[in-house]
Amino acid sequence: MSNATTTPTLQPAIPRAMSFYDQLKFDANGLVPAIIQEQKTGRVLMMAWMNRASLEKTLVTGKTHFWSRSRQKFWMKGESSGHTQTVKDIAFDCDGDTLLIQVEQIGAACHEGYRSCFFRSAQNGGAAFKITEPQLETPEQIYGKK
Amino acid sequence: MSNATTTPTLQPAIPRAMSFYDQLKFDANGLVPAIIQEQKTGRVLMMAWMNRASLEKTLVTGKTHFWSRSRQKFWMKGESSGHTQTVKDIAFDCDGDTLLIQVEQIGAACHEGYRSCFFRSAQNGGAAFKITEPQLETPEQIYGKK
């Protein structure tokens, strides 16, 4: 008779590819771009960069956290303005190198006081541009006078 | 009497900042990320990179053209699959370093046959992920068997 039943069977390791994080490809600087979309309206609000630590912080806290390439530091969206973003869903693309995050946005997403950072569009084949939405607040109203 | 009426007046030069292109900040590689959104549904379909020449081609032809960082060449979305994107609007963000392009999409935007490249979302705090939309076609159906 076979002694197979007495031989301990090794369970296959859970493939690392099962994890969300393992699907992602951070760039040479350890970053991925994160597109932020307002879930209830579909309005694309902004794009900013995340490293793995800021993404983990986003998942744990439920508020968007980014990595500032110019200031080389973490920032939570709304930490100065109060205009925080509550995370509803985090999707990633087929190449694993871009995130699409659905949020509930408080106030203006743009530091210039517009609902969306994409408040200007090209016109006349690129010869000009126009502003496409109202400014909700001035930067002074959001951040206070310096 | 004043001789003001006989003095030729110099018209101020049209500020370069009036052009859409002059609002943009291409990165060190001459690229900007372009978020592609389906205008009629608000679904974010994909993100790809443009250099100035591919953006000009997009504006002139009305079809999205990108720059492939991996292949170092231009590509028109849909050139192999027929799944082209007709441009409806080109917006840019407050920093001028990201584009948001509204399109009319033919067929699946994703080369894996999904409507959107963002067909997977994180689950269980990042420990797993799920597929969130149906696959419309297989890559073989789109591109033919190799």
Side-chain angles (χ1 to χ4, degrees):
Chain A
M1 279 179 69
S2 161
N3 67 350
T5 53
T6 60
T7 305
T9 49
L10 288 170
Q11 293 299 318
I14 294 169
R16 284 181 55 80
M18 293 295 286
S19 155
F20 158 64
Y21 288 109
D22 291 322
Q23 299 292 318
L24 302 183
K25 289 181 202 136
F26 294 89
D27 72 9
N29 298 311
L31 301 172
V32 281
I35 302 163
I36 309 299
Q37 185 172 30
E38 187 175 54
Q39 189 177 46
K40 74 173 177 188
T41 63
R43 182 74 172 126
V44 174
L45 300 175
M46 56 182 279
M47 198 196 83
W49 295 80
M50 290 186 172
N51 57 14
R52 169 132 183 178
S54 67
L55 177 55
E56 287 176 352
K57 205 156 187 175
T58 296
L59 271 154
V60 169
T61 63
K63 304 283 180 194
T64 54
H65 287 73
F66 302 98
W67 177 254
S68 169
R69 296 174 302 167
S70 56
R71 292 176 290 147
Q72 290 284 302
K73 60 173 284 217
F74 290 103
W75 58 287
M76 185 186 86
K77 175 66 190 168
E79 64 192 2
S80 305
S81 63
H83 295 170
T84 54
Q85 296 171 336
T86 302
V87 175
K88 298 297 181 180
D89 185 78
I90 302 182
F92 57 102
D93 73 350
C94 47
D95 295 327
D97 61 6
T98 307
L99 300 172
L100 173 62
I101 302 183
Q102 304 295 328
V103 302
E104 194 177 292
Q105 170 74 53
I106 293 181
C110 181
H111 73 290
E112 294 193 26
Y114 294 85
R115 185 80 180 153
S116 164
C117 293
F118 296 95
F119 60 87
R120 295 170 297 179
S121 289
Q123 263 196 321
N124 302 340
F129 64 90
K130 62 181 172 188
I131 291 177
T132 57
E133 60 177 62
Q135 190 182 33
L136 304 179
E137 295 178 85
T138 64
E140 290 73 22
Q141 286 172 318
I142 300 172
Y143 300 102
K145 291 214 168 95
K146 306 276 170 170
Chain B
M1 277 177 70
S2 161
N3 67 351
T5 53
T6 60
T7 305
T9 48
L10 287 171
Q11 293 299 318
I14 296 170
R16 285 180 53 79
M18 294 295 286
S19 156
F20 157 64
Y21 289 110
D22 292 322
Q23 299 291 318
L24 302 183
K25 289 181 202 136
F26 293 89
D27 72 10
N29 297 311
L31 300 172
V32 281
I35 302 163
I36 309 299
Q37 186 172 29
E38 187 175 54
Q39 189 177 48
K40 73 173 176 188
T41 63
R43 183 74 173 124
V44 174
L45 299 175
M46 55 181 280
M47 198 196 82
W49 295 80
M50 289 185 172
N51 57 15
R52 169 131 186 178
S54 66
L55 177 56
E56 287 177 354
K57 206 157 185 175
T58 296
L59 272 155
V60 169
T61 63
K63 304 284 181 193
T64 52
H65 288 72
F66 302 98
W67 177 255
S68 169
R69 296 175 300 167
S70 55
R71 292 176 291 148
Q72 289 285 302
K73 60 174 283 217
F74 290 104
W75 59 288
M76 185 186 86
K77 175 66 190 168
E79 64 191 1
S80 305
S81 63
H83 295 170
T84 54
Q85 296 171 335
T86 302
V87 174
K88 298 297 180 180
D89 186 77
I90 302 181
F92 57 101
D93 74 350
C94 47
D95 296 326
D97 61 6
T98 306
L99 300 172
L100 173 61
I101 303 185
Q102 303 295 329
V103 302
E104 193 177 292
Q105 171 74 53
I106 293 182
C110 181
H111 73 290
E112 295 193 23
Y114 294 85
R115 186 77 179 155
S116 163
C117 293
F118 297 94
F119 61 88
R120 293 170 297 178
S121 289
Q123 263 196 320
N124 302 339
F129 64 90
K130 62 181 173 186
I131 291 178
T132 57
E133 60 178 61
Q135 190 182 32
L136 304 178
E137 294 178 86
T138 64
E140 290 72 22
Q141 286 173 320
I142 299 172
Y143 300 101
K145 292 213 167 96
K146 305 277 168 166

